[in-house]
Amino acid sequence: MGLCWLILLLATSSATYALDNGLLRTPPMGWMAWERFRCNVDCTNDPKHCISENLFRDMADRLSEDGWRELGYEYIMIDDCWTSMQRDKDGRLQPDPKRFPGGIASLARYVHDRGLKLGIYADMGFQTCMGYPGTNLSTIHMDAHTFASWGVDFLKFDGCFSSPVEQQLGYPLMSKALNSTGRPIAYSCSWPCYRGGLPPKVNYTLLGEICNVWRNWYDVQDSWDSIQSILDWFSNNQDDLQPAAGPGHWNDPDMLIIGNFGLSIDQSRAQMAVWAIMAAPLIMSNDLRSLEADARAVLSNKLAIAINQDPLGIQGRRILQEGSHVDVYWRPLSHKASALVFLSRRQDMPYRYRTSLVKLNYPAGNYEAYDVFSGKLVTGLKTTTPFTVTINPSGVFMWYVYPTSYNDKPKSHSRYRLIHKKYNLSFSESGVGPHRVL
Ligand code: GLA
């Protein structure tokens, strides 16, 4: 490595490039084009589904008119294949003129007018993963300022066609360049994906200082196999990954594919549940114009969203892998509450899993639990109360659990009334006795 590289490397120490933009205190929520619409640029034959300003306007309309924005889904993210094949005469990135005739600034205005934010995509490398113009070390500053001048609010900075040294220089430089624009732009770094996702090749301390969120591993595809492999990788490596997450800096296991073709309703709930436990970005990649009601219900689950967006921002963990092929996940939440997910990896029939809070390491006390997907409230749980949950194959059972300070007092004193009010939930109740099947 030459002297110049060395000097540049030293200059990119984390102290110099701390991001500190105050953004993404909770994981980002929104919609992204890639998983569902990929690099479909054939607007002649497929105008409704091609990567064009019309697609993003349509999705902005849906987010703002169908209640998604109020749930927290606020970012509309452009992914690869939005640019022209050439930069403009001044060397700036420019959108494809046929597919984005109004330009990105006008699209950003459209999105902002609807109370939403716009995300864009670039690649730290010679070209993007799909072969569109990349961003090299000498254009980083210009590209950051171009995005800011258009009113962009989020940048996904991919890493195809770059060397480890270019990544080492480029990702911190882009962080600094975004900060220098004066516009708050959330920064998503795909850097770890290109370095295997784990220490020592990936420095999660540095990432937390320069990026708001980062893709750690392979791309999600439209299948349960893909969700399982992502989940397994994140869980098997949780000792390295879990401590890296917190307000302003998150691991990203990739987009929500709920509402597409690959997941059953149980599997959709499973993705939502585990993404909530993992404090993962809730970025849908689906067609909001034709979403089925059951997928919509899963993605709109207010308690799952509230668990994901918990202000403490502590990522959850897999705490048990049972021989019966049930995995148990747990996430601590604010107000001494917590979330539990029981995930069945079985392929036979609904499985009755028997446990108790004491077996799951809960401190002695009295608890109530709110069933996130059925809406049932379970009262009168002591730590030692045995209970049985029924989990469908490749499905989940999910609880929001909280201690009750008023042992055996009337229900009007219990915390669920607050939760109910806060998240505007409807519920039914069921007491839990020893061995009761829920
Ligand atoms: C990579 C990323 C994906 C997507 C594509 C676009 O594979 O990981 O999320 O952005 O590039 O080409």
Side-chain angles (χ1 to χ4, degrees):
M1 190 187 303
L3 188 59
C4 294
W5 285 117
L6 194 61
I7 291 169
L8 265 170
L9 260 182
L10 290 173
T12 57
S13 76
S14 58
T16 321
Y17 289 95
L19 184 62
D20 195 24
N21 58 13
L23 298 173
L24 305 196
R25 303 306 295 170
T26 60
M29 294 177 64
W31 181 92
M32 185 176 266
W34 181 256
E35 198 291 315
R36 178 64 180 78
F37 295 97
R38 308 286 168 139
C39 193
N40 176 359
V41 292
D42 186 1
C43 291
T44 310
N45 296 305
D46 199 7
K48 286 291 275 181
H49 305 105
C50 65
I51 301 302
S52 72
E53 62 185 32
N54 292 336
L55 181 71
F56 296 100
R57 282 173 191 238
D58 277 0
M59 295 306 162
D61 291 347
R62 299 282 51 83
L63 283 192
S64 64
E65 290 168 27
D66 296 349
W68 298 107
R69 183 189 53 212
E70 287 69 23
L71 288 164
Y73 293 95
E74 60 173 345
Y75 285 98
I76 288 273
M77 317 273 208
I78 303 172
D79 206 278
D80 203 348
C81 309
W82 64 273
T83 63
S84 167
M85 276 302 182
Q86 275 88 37
R87 286 173 174 262
D88 73 8
K89 61 178 181 7
D90 300 317
R92 294 194 167 79
L93 286 173
Q94 55 180 346
D96 181 277
K98 287 216 180 69
R99 294 182 285 116
F100 293 85
I104 304 297
S106 124
L107 181 58
R109 274 195 299 279
Y110 189 91
V111 165
H112 293 156
D113 285 348
R114 281 150 187 79
L116 302 168
K117 295 177 176 163
L118 184 68
I120 208 161
Y121 169 99
D123 185 283
M124 172 62 245
F126 158 67
Q127 54 187 22
T128 73
C129 300
M130 294 308 293
Y132 288 78
T135 299
N136 60 34
L137 293 173
S138 57
T139 52
I140 281 179
H141 189 80
M142 177 196 286
D143 291 353
H145 283 261
T146 303
F147 299 147
S149 74
W150 288 339
V152 163
D153 307 290
F154 184 110
L155 171 66
K156 171 173 173 179
F157 203 31
D158 210 343
C160 273
F161 303 108
S162 57
S163 69
V165 170
E166 286 166 327
Q167 293 158 9
Q168 176 91 19
L169 297 168
Y171 280 98
L173 265 181
M174 179 55 93
S175 179
K176 191 184 179 206
L178 291 172
N179 268 1
S180 77
T181 66
R183 182 176 177 82
I185 300 178
Y187 181 34
S188 168
C189 302
S190 300
W191 189 8
C193 294
Y194 294 89
R195 305 294 295 140
L198 294 174
K201 283 191 178 162
V202 175
N203 177 347
Y204 278 107
T205 309
L206 171 63
L207 278 170
E209 287 163 353
I210 65 169
C211 312
N212 294 116
V213 55
W214 47 80
R215 281 282 312 286
N216 310 66
W217 204 57
Y218 292 147
D219 292 0
V220 70
Q221 308 293 339
D222 193 1
S223 74
W224 176 239
D225 276 356
S226 167
I227 298 298
Q228 287 193 99
S229 67
I230 290 176
L231 194 52
D232 287 341
W233 186 85
F234 276 79
S235 306
N236 293 338
N237 296 299
Q238 61 187 0
D239 288 348
D240 288 316
L241 305 177
Q242 187 266 343
H249 46 99
W250 309 101
N251 294 301
D252 180 3
D254 214 0
M255 291 158 259
L256 294 169
I257 56 166
I258 299 163
N260 293 327
F261 312 99
L263 300 187
S264 70
I265 189 67
D266 276 297
Q267 293 161 350
S268 301
R269 288 191 185 121
Q271 191 189 18
M272 192 72 183
V274 183
W275 261 235
I277 289 282
M278 290 197 293
L282 297 181
I283 309 287
M284 308 181 273
S285 189
N286 51 19
D287 192 341
L288 294 172
R289 299 166 297 195
S290 56
L291 211 55
E292 301 287 345
D294 51 4
R296 187 181 296 273
V298 174
L299 291 162
S300 313
N301 186 298
K302 287 184 180 160
L303 193 46
I305 292 172
I307 290 167
N308 174 272
Q309 296 284 301
D310 185 81
L312 272 188
I314 300 174
Q315 182 174 329
R317 296 173 69 93
R318 183 176 66 196
I319 57 169
L320 273 179
Q321 274 185 293
E322 300 281 21
S324 57
H325 302 292
V326 169
D327 295 347
V328 184
Y329 287 83
W330 174 79
R331 178 176 174 186
L333 303 169
S334 42
H335 308 298
K336 298 199 166 80
S338 55
L340 275 174
V341 167
F342 304 92
L343 168 71
S344 170
R345 314 294 294 256
R346 300 175 67 94
Q347 301 182 25
D348 51 358
M349 58 189 272
Y351 185 74
R352 287 155 40 98
Y353 177 69
R354 187 162 170 240
T355 186
S356 65
L357 292 180
V358 73
K359 283 192 186 151
L360 304 174
N361 304 323
Y362 276 69
N366 299 300
Y367 294 87
E368 290 181 355
Y370 196 97
D371 180 333
V372 172
F373 291 108
S374 81
K376 282 186 184 150
L377 180 77
V378 179
T379 56
L381 263 179
K382 292 190 194 318
T383 331
T384 48
T385 313
F387 60 86
T388 303
V389 294
T390 303
I391 322 161
N392 290 345
S394 66
V396 285
F397 185 95
M398 185 177 194
W399 262 359
Y400 174 85
V401 183
Y402 48 94
T404 47
S405 11
Y406 304 99
N407 187 16
D408 298 325
K409 287 263 171 77
K411 291 211 183 63
S412 57
H413 287 279
S414 61
R415 230 185 93 72
Y416 81 90
R417 300 244 173 251
L418 292 177
I419 311 266
H420 173 242
K421 207 166 151 207
K422 183 165 174 205
Y423 300 116
N424 191 21
L425 302 165
S426 63
F427 58 85
S428 52
E429 292 178 37
S430 73
V432 78
H435 304 248
R436 175 137 186 167
V437 178
L438 303 174

